[in-house]
Amino acid sequence: MTHPLFVKHESTLTQALQAQETRGYWSPFPEMPSPKVYGETANADGEQSFKALLNQTFDLDQPRNGLVGQEHSPFGFALGVRYPKADPDLLFAAVARAQQPWQRAGRDTWVGVSLEILQRLNRASFEIAYSVMHTTGQAFMMAFQAGGPHAQDRALEAIACAWDQLRRIPAQAYWEKPQGKNPPLAMEKHFTIVPRGIGLVLGCCTFPTWNSYPGLFADLATGNAVVVKPHPGAILPLAITVRIARDVLREAGFDPNVVTLLATDPDDGVLVQQLATRPDVRLIDFTGSTHNGNWLERNATQAHVYTEKAGVNQIVIDSVEDIKAVARNIAFSLALYSGQMCTAPQNIYVPRDGIRTADGTLSFDEVGQAIAEAVQKLTSDPAKAVELIGALQNDAVVQRIERARSLGTVLLDSQPLVHPAFEHARVHTPLLVKLDAATDQNRFTQEWFGPIAFVIATDSTAQSLALAGSIAAQHGALTLSVYSGDEAVQQAAHEAAIEGGVALSLNLTGGVFVNQSAAFSDFHGTGANPAANATLTDAAFVANRFRVVQSRAHVAPRG
Amino acid sequence: MTHPLFVKHESTLTQALQAQETRGYWSPFPEMPSPKVYGETANADGEQSFKALLNQTFDLDQPRNGLVGQEHSPFGFALGVRYPKADPDLLFAAVARAQQPWQRAGRDTWVGVSLEILQRLNRASFEIAYSVMHTTGQAFMMAFQAGGPHAQDRALEAIACAWDQLRRIPAQAYWEKPQGKNPPLAMEKHFTIVPRGIGLVLGCCTFPTWNSYPGLFADLATGNAVVVKPHPGAILPLAITVRIARDVLREAGFDPNVVTLLATDPDDGVLVQQLATRPDVRLIDFTGSTHNGNWLERNATQAHVYTEKAGVNQIVIDSVEDIKAVARNIAFSLALYSGQMCTAPQNIYVPRDGIRTADGTLSFDEVGQAIAEAVQKLTSDPAKAVELIGALQNDAVVQRIERARSLGTVLLDSQPLVHPAFEHARVHTPLLVKLDAATDQNRFTQEWFGPIAFVIATDSTAQSLALAGSIAAQHGALTLSVYSGDEAVQQAAHEAAIEGGVALSLNLTGGVFVNQSAAFSDFHGTGANPAANATLTDAAFVANRFRVVQSRAHVAPRG
């Protein structure tokens, strides 16, 4: 019998599958934090729920062995939330006990329960938004959208993708092989989907929900148990997520330890390595540094490892209609969450001889100046700026800005801003530095994570595209943005994107920004360059999370 | 425009997709070497083609640097075939040049060309059969079926599975996001399938085509170039395969170096490790020892690695209707190709207190005796026996029989036989040894590859099933066969199969043998125990062999 939660959410699932097939626009989770959609008191209630969690022990009835938690809001205060500390062996033993009935429950139950969790998460979007804001430093609007509905979209995408593979395995089959004049050989075969075991989800400190949900829900929807190990700096959004998942599991009659939280204090590197190489960890989803991601890929060989790591996102400017529209669009991409998105551009290549526009030629310096001015305009009014740039997640980003200043001529200096509502917030405007492709390659072929971008003089657009393709291929990249009115250049951009294995956006001047990737339509990451070994979300992301065990026996031929 | 070879073979592809969905019986490649199907002179022509290859340099116009080849037929003569020796750097440079136009050709071309190669391979089934026979030691009928049509079935299955994933990626999409009262944001998106690069296929010496074709064709159908590295003892069947693939590629206008042969002399372990860790090798398909497979999984982390390794296949006898029918079926499985199939059973568990049958109770010794007699019957007439047991692939198998004799009481000793047609053939009948679960676990928890099986006394069927499940989980297994008329035992067998991640066959007494796995219906291997990290063939086997790179640009809203 189909699980009632599957029946309840089946139409959403059907629509998600259809959206994935056509890859047009679709989302079931409204992205605007509108009272009309989420309820008149939803925002205030969510903020209150968030505040009620501060300076308390987070309520989670899972095996514990002390308390941990040292989160500090980038907006300038300690969260004071204390989480159960887990002894890994005890926690994994509890997970092992929980997982068997879950593994046997079958695909419609896994998917139904996953979809119900998602609906509850959607209802908690404001509480999650405040917790994302005060762990990542995202401004509220972004924390709501990226941390709430957009993360939920990506989760649903993963569930639908998993279902699309699960549903292809017939539960049983009749097999009849002719034997010439003799009666045929006839067998009935049964196929059981067997989850891999325990999945470990390793969260990051900038997008704790958006980057963790796909792996978490891909695991869950294919019947695995999941241990969620948040970044020590951004535990709360995932703790709320785990709490909600456990509530739904419990209500559905399962041991809630199917989904557990493994919160840690900072400097948990050795612990993570021990966790990741446990024989019972069969799936790992990781977002974070290249160093740690590579370590997992090379050492956690007992598991399937899905990583998203660092990259160098690039913009190539060849020619434009209207430099102001281009500069506005680029400036927004640089400023949004202070360049702390994995998709934010860093290297902007402009031919040293300048570019063509509808109003004549612009020199290299004029292009750089236009971008600098556009960034300045977006960030000059602190009250408006902070709603866009948010706060810097940690001090390492501040220090990185300091180091980046000396790389070349500063086109636009980074300035600290005082947040009108949070006086101790860590707010700094973007830094723009001028570099030269002829001399500075060792400077711009690495990621400078944060509000740091380079306007780089090249010999030509051909050189710009060659750099874009080869840097993406060698150092990784999630996005490439190209501005050109020339069809041959657009074709060359396409070739560079394929060489670099990177998603290309052409001539963005309006309301779409290169940083943004839309679930059900845009693949996030390609798996074809060092920035990620997987994409959100395709069959490769889900198909290894379960196995099929068959049994067969003779039956009478059906004749 | 759809490639003409795709159009030519589209109906086969459609049928294959349908077969995979329902998992009933289907095969487009007739398994009987019948003159009516393959032509009156096909057998003689194939044998002549094979003989014409002996003691010659194999004609393959790819980069060469000397000659290699030391194959010796298990039927007692040196093949004397010399193959081009490849300097890996030069060969991979040629492959790199060949791969770009192939990668850009697109999915219908990859699949169309792959299907055409397959059709040509089918026509060469007799030539391939003789080459399989005289490298592996398989008797002719098996060499024809497993090396020809059944291998071709598995190849087609991989191609269809790849196509099933490829066709899901839309070439383009229209994306329109509402903006309230403002005009919607509208974009057109293009999705390009980008193959991973170069695939390395590492063949084995017992099933050079059957075990290599799935990886080879999964790579090719997803646009990758393929370097085929046969086992030094079984080069010829894959050399013929590569020659045919190159012919088709050339005729279709491609550089034939899209598929190349990397033949080696014995003791090529270091070379294989160097090949497998090349940065340009992105996919590896391996069949062979657990030691080598584990090495690849742990060290070739730059590639996706698909392995099939050793395992301990098991039979549990709980109760039977007719011991003779059971013993006949088991004996055939033990004798077929002298137990040198990865699916051949090794451990046969029987309760020490005996079993129930329709004719009363049989003691443990009577069950062992019945199996021994059935094997003896199958192998007593050398002329008939050799057509079933074939020859032993190499001397290590003969030495293993010798070592296994001393493990316990011999129920049926292995005998050398003189092959009526090949007097120097390496032919030995199966060895059956009695062991005890209480004392001999360290003896039977490893694979004894070859015509070696154990009848093992257990305390009960419960212990038999517990052993079967845990040994499969810890040491790997591809097959589990259970005999019981008791529904509770059958259910427990199902649980043991799931614990062990192993395919279960129940009560085989007729014309289906546990060793056999049928393409489009049976998953071969599960990926859920150490015997294999992948299955033939599911989405997980193909979905990581390509990536998608997208580009997007604004368009006018379509209103």
Side-chain angles (χ1 to χ4, degrees):
Chain A
M1 206 189 65
T2 308
H3 195 281
L5 289 175
F6 184 91
V7 175
K8 178 179 175 189
H9 298 292
E10 191 169 6
S11 74
T12 304
L13 185 63
T14 305
Q15 289 173 75
L17 286 165
Q18 201 183 339
Q20 236 160 10
E21 207 174 296
T22 58
R23 304 200 82 80
Y25 171 79
W26 183 71
S27 168
F29 302 115
E31 69 178 359
M32 295 309 292
S34 152
K36 283 181 200 151
V37 175
Y38 286 94
E40 289 301 325
T41 62
N43 191 340
D45 294 349
E47 188 170 13
Q48 199 174 350
S49 297
F50 165 72
K51 285 186 173 164
L53 296 171
L54 302 180
N55 303 305
Q56 303 289 333
T57 297
F58 193 90
D59 188 27
L60 216 56
D61 63 332
Q62 59 176 55
R64 73 163 66 179
N65 181 22
L67 294 169
V68 292
Q70 300 180 21
E71 292 161 295
H72 196 97
S73 170
F75 294 96
F77 58 92
L79 266 56
V81 188
R82 304 288 285 159
Y83 304 92
K85 180 178 179 178
D87 174 282
D89 286 336
L90 293 180
L91 185 73
F92 276 78
V95 176
R97 284 191 297 275
Q99 76 178 341
Q100 201 181 5
W102 176 245
Q103 289 192 345
R104 300 295 166 88
R107 51 191 165 192
D108 60 293
T109 303
W110 305 327
V111 167
V113 168
S114 298
L115 291 169
E116 177 68 14
I117 294 169
L118 209 47
Q119 189 182 74
R120 305 272 186 104
L121 287 173
N122 181 249
R123 282 192 218 142
S125 289
F126 282 93
E127 182 185 359
I128 290 172
Y130 284 102
S131 74
V132 167
M133 174 177 174
H134 287 294
T135 48
T136 66
Q138 291 174 24
F140 176 76
M141 181 60 99
M142 183 174 187
F144 181 87
Q145 295 191 333
H150 292 176
Q152 294 149 18
D153 280 345
R154 283 288 177 194
L156 176 55
E157 184 185 52
I159 296 168
C161 218
W163 177 251
D164 193 30
Q165 295 303 326
L166 292 170
R167 66 176 172 169
R168 268 157 223 294
I169 312 296
Q172 62 187 68
Y174 174 71
W175 179 90
E176 184 182 289
K177 184 176 179 180
Q179 298 293 296
K181 291 169 192 165
N182 296 318
L185 293 169
M187 302 195 93
E188 196 167 87
K189 306 187 181 190
H190 292 260
F191 302 95
T192 303
I193 292 164
V194 179
R196 300 286 295 159
I198 300 177
L200 176 66
V201 174
L202 300 168
C204 67
C205 61
T206 47
F207 289 90
T209 58
W210 198 95
N211 274 100
S212 297
Y213 281 8
L216 166 53
F217 282 95
D219 281 351
L220 210 53
T222 50
N224 299 283
V226 188
V227 175
V228 178
K229 211 299 290 172
H231 187 284
I235 301 170
L236 190 54
L238 286 174
I240 296 170
T241 302
V242 168
R243 187 194 69 207
I244 290 171
R246 292 170 64 87
D247 288 347
V248 174
L249 282 160
R250 199 182 289 106
E251 289 167 30
F254 293 99
D255 182 332
N257 288 329
V258 166
V259 178
T260 53
L261 184 76
L262 205 160
T264 58
D265 281 326
D267 300 320
D268 59 2
V270 173
L271 174 65
V272 172
Q273 295 189 352
Q274 287 166 349
L275 290 174
T277 51
R278 288 179 68 97
D280 48 0
V281 168
R282 307 308 303 274
L283 298 158
I284 297 176
D285 288 85
F286 166 85
T287 313
S289 72
T290 295
H291 177 265
N292 290 342
N294 287 347
W295 190 94
L296 290 169
E297 289 174 16
R298 286 171 195 159
N299 292 281
T301 52
Q302 89 291 352
H304 284 279
V305 177
Y306 306 87
T307 60
E308 186 186 314
K309 301 168 289 185
V312 179
N313 300 313
Q314 304 166 93
I315 297 177
V316 170
I317 307 183
D318 170 66
S319 63
V320 304
E321 281 281 314
D322 170 9
I323 187 65
K324 282 197 176 153
V326 170
R328 247 192 332 260
N329 187 284
I330 292 175
F332 189 89
S333 283
L334 298 177
L336 187 62
Y337 186 32
S338 295
Q340 296 172 111
M341 300 178 73
C342 51
T343 48
Q346 172 183 299
N347 293 356
I348 305 166
Y349 304 108
V350 181
R352 71 180 82 256
D353 295 337
I355 63 164
R356 278 169 296 115
T357 80
D359 306 317
T361 303
L362 276 183
S363 72
F364 171 83
D365 283 337
E366 285 169 326
V367 174
Q369 201 49 45
I371 297 168
E373 279 168 16
V375 173
Q376 174 119 51
K377 198 167 167 188
L378 277 175
T379 55
S380 55
D381 175 353
K384 285 185 186 161
V386 295
E387 297 306 326
L388 179 61
I389 67 179
L392 300 186
Q393 207 279 334
N394 58 69
D395 279 329
V397 182
V398 184
Q399 290 155 20
R400 197 173 296 120
I401 298 172
E402 186 53 37
R403 287 205 310 282
R405 268 198 187 97
S406 59
L407 292 176
T409 307
V410 170
L411 280 174
L412 178 69
D413 203 0
S414 171
Q415 306 284 349
L417 290 187
V418 176
H419 195 296
F422 301 99
E423 61 173 325
H424 300 298
R426 193 189 291 115
V427 183
H428 297 255
T429 63
L431 171 74
L432 223 58
V433 174
K434 186 163 86 170
L435 296 178
D436 196 301
T439 52
D440 298 323
Q441 288 209 25
N442 61 336
R443 292 173 175 166
F444 63 76
T445 52
Q446 56 173 293
E447 184 184 65
W448 290 79
F449 186 80
I452 298 161
F454 306 120
V455 182
I456 300 166
T458 64
D459 294 342
S460 62
T461 292
Q463 189 191 20
S464 301
L465 289 172
L467 283 167
S470 66
I471 289 174
Q474 287 169 43
H475 304 280
L478 293 178
T479 63
L480 170 63
S481 177
V482 173
Y483 291 94
S484 179
D486 183 329
E487 274 191 28
V489 171
Q490 290 175 6
Q491 185 51 38
H494 186 66
E495 299 290 322
I498 287 173
E499 186 208 338
V502 60
L504 173 67
S505 296
L506 277 170
N507 298 321
L508 297 183
T509 52
V512 172
F513 305 95
V514 69
N515 323 31
Q516 298 171 325
S517 102
F520 306 104
S521 181
D522 293 315
F523 290 106
H524 174 78
T526 62
N529 70 47
N533 77 354
T535 192
L536 304 178
T537 301
D538 66 359
F541 189 71
V542 299
N544 262 315
R545 297 182 195 254
F546 65 89
R547 298 298 188 197
V548 176
V549 172
Q550 68 172 60
S551 74
R552 59 182 186 179
H554 281 289
V555 289
R558 292 186 188 165
Chain B
M1 208 186 67
T2 307
H3 195 281
L5 289 174
F6 184 91
V7 175
K8 179 180 174 188
H9 299 291
E10 192 169 5
S11 75
T12 304
L13 185 63
T14 305
Q15 290 174 74
L17 287 165
Q18 202 184 339
Q20 236 160 10
E21 206 173 297
T22 57
R23 305 201 80 81
Y25 171 79
W26 184 71
S27 168
F29 301 116
E31 69 179 359
M32 294 310 289
S34 152
K36 284 182 198 151
V37 175
Y38 286 94
E40 289 302 325
T41 63
N43 192 341
D45 294 349
E47 188 170 14
Q48 198 175 349
S49 298
F50 164 72
K51 286 187 172 164
L53 295 171
L54 301 180
N55 303 306
Q56 303 289 331
T57 297
F58 193 89
D59 188 26
L60 217 55
D61 64 332
Q62 59 175 55
R64 74 162 68 178
N65 181 23
L67 294 170
V68 291
Q70 300 180 20
E71 292 159 296
H72 196 96
S73 170
F75 294 95
F77 57 91
L79 266 55
V81 189
R82 305 287 284 159
Y83 303 92
K85 180 177 179 178
D87 173 282
D89 286 337
L90 293 180
L91 185 74
F92 277 78
V95 175
R97 285 191 298 276
Q99 75 178 342
Q100 201 181 5
W102 176 246
Q103 288 192 346
R104 300 296 166 89
R107 52 191 164 190
D108 60 294
T109 304
W110 305 327
V111 167
V113 168
S114 298
L115 291 169
E116 177 67 15
I117 294 170
L118 210 47
Q119 190 182 73
R120 305 272 185 104
L121 287 172
N122 180 249
R123 282 192 219 142
S125 289
F126 283 93
E127 182 185 359
I128 290 172
Y130 284 102
S131 74
V132 167
M133 174 178 173
H134 287 293
T135 49
T136 66
Q138 291 173 24
F140 175 76
M141 181 61 100
M142 183 173 188
F144 181 87
Q145 295 191 332
H150 292 176
Q152 294 148 20
D153 280 345
R154 283 287 177 195
L156 176 56
E157 183 184 54
I159 295 168
C161 218
W163 177 252
D164 193 30
Q165 295 303 326
L166 292 171
R167 66 176 173 170
R168 269 155 223 296
I169 311 295
Q172 61 187 70
Y174 173 72
W175 179 89
E176 184 182 290
K177 183 175 179 181
Q179 298 293 296
K181 292 169 189 162
N182 297 317
L185 293 169
M187 303 195 92
E188 197 167 88
K189 306 185 181 190
H190 292 260
F191 302 95
T192 304
I193 292 165
V194 179
R196 299 287 296 159
I198 299 176
L200 176 66
V201 174
L202 300 168
C204 66
C205 61
T206 46
F207 290 89
T209 59
W210 197 96
N211 273 101
S212 297
Y213 281 7
L216 166 53
F217 282 94
D219 280 350
L220 210 54
T222 51
N224 299 282
V226 188
V227 175
V228 178
K229 211 296 292 170
H231 188 285
I235 300 171
L236 190 54
L238 287 173
I240 297 170
T241 302
V242 167
R243 187 194 71 206
I244 289 171
R246 292 171 64 88
D247 287 347
V248 173
L249 283 161
R250 199 184 288 106
E251 289 167 30
F254 292 100
D255 182 332
N257 288 329
V258 166
V259 178
T260 53
L261 183 77
L262 206 160
T264 58
D265 281 327
D267 299 321
D268 59 2
V270 173
L271 174 66
V272 171
Q273 295 190 352
Q274 286 166 351
L275 289 173
T277 51
R278 288 179 68 98
D280 48 0
V281 168
R282 307 308 303 276
L283 298 158
I284 297 176
D285 288 85
F286 166 85
T287 312
S289 72
T290 295
H291 178 265
N292 290 341
N294 288 348
W295 190 94
L296 290 168
E297 289 174 16
R298 286 171 194 158
N299 292 281
T301 52
Q302 89 292 351
H304 284 279
V305 178
Y306 306 86
T307 59
E308 187 187 314
K309 300 168 289 186
V312 180
N313 300 313
Q314 303 165 95
I315 297 178
V316 171
I317 306 182
D318 171 66
S319 63
V320 304
E321 281 282 313
D322 171 10
I323 187 65
K324 283 199 175 151
V326 170
R328 247 192 332 261
N329 187 283
I330 292 175
F332 189 89
S333 283
L334 297 177
L336 187 61
Y337 185 32
S338 295
Q340 297 172 110
M341 300 179 73
C342 51
T343 48
Q346 172 182 300
N347 292 358
I348 305 166
Y349 304 109
V350 181
R352 70 179 83 255
D353 294 338
I355 63 165
R356 278 170 295 117
T357 80
D359 307 315
T361 303
L362 276 183
S363 72
F364 171 84
D365 282 338
E366 285 169 325
V367 174
Q369 202 49 44
I371 298 169
E373 279 168 16
V375 174
Q376 175 120 50
K377 198 166 169 189
L378 276 175
T379 55
S380 55
D381 175 354
K384 283 185 187 163
V386 296
E387 297 306 325
L388 178 62
I389 68 177
L392 300 186
Q393 207 280 333
N394 57 69
D395 279 330
V397 182
V398 183
Q399 291 154 22
R400 197 172 296 121
I401 298 173
E402 187 52 38
R403 288 204 310 282
R405 267 199 189 95
S406 59
L407 291 177
T409 308
V410 171
L411 281 174
L412 178 68
D413 202 2
S414 171
Q415 306 286 349
L417 291 188
V418 176
H419 195 295
F422 301 99
E423 61 172 324
H424 299 297
R426 193 188 292 115
V427 182
H428 297 255
T429 62
L431 171 74
L432 223 58
V433 174
K434 185 163 86 171
L435 296 178
D436 196 299
T439 51
D440 299 324
Q441 287 209 25
N442 61 336
R443 293 174 176 168
F444 63 75
T445 54
Q446 56 174 293
E447 185 185 64
W448 291 80
F449 187 80
I452 299 161
F454 307 120
V455 182
I456 302 167
T458 64
D459 295 340
S460 61
T461 293
Q463 189 190 20
S464 300
L465 289 172
L467 283 168
S470 67
I471 289 175
Q474 288 168 45
H475 303 279
L478 293 178
T479 62
L480 170 63
S481 177
V482 174
Y483 291 93
S484 179
D486 182 329
E487 274 192 28
V489 171
Q490 291 176 6
Q491 184 52 37
H494 185 66
E495 297 291 322
I498 286 174
E499 186 209 337
V502 60
L504 173 67
S505 297
L506 277 169
N507 296 323
L508 296 183
T509 52
V512 172
F513 303 95
V514 69
N515 323 30
Q516 297 172 326
S517 102
F520 307 104
S521 182
D522 293 316
F523 290 106
H524 175 77
T526 62
N529 70 47
N533 77 354
T535 192
L536 303 178
T537 299
D538 66 358
F541 189 71
V542 298
N544 262 314
R545 297 183 195 254
F546 65 90
R547 298 299 189 196
V548 176
V549 172
Q550 69 171 61
S551 74
R552 60 182 185 179
H554 281 288
V555 289
R558 291 186 187 165

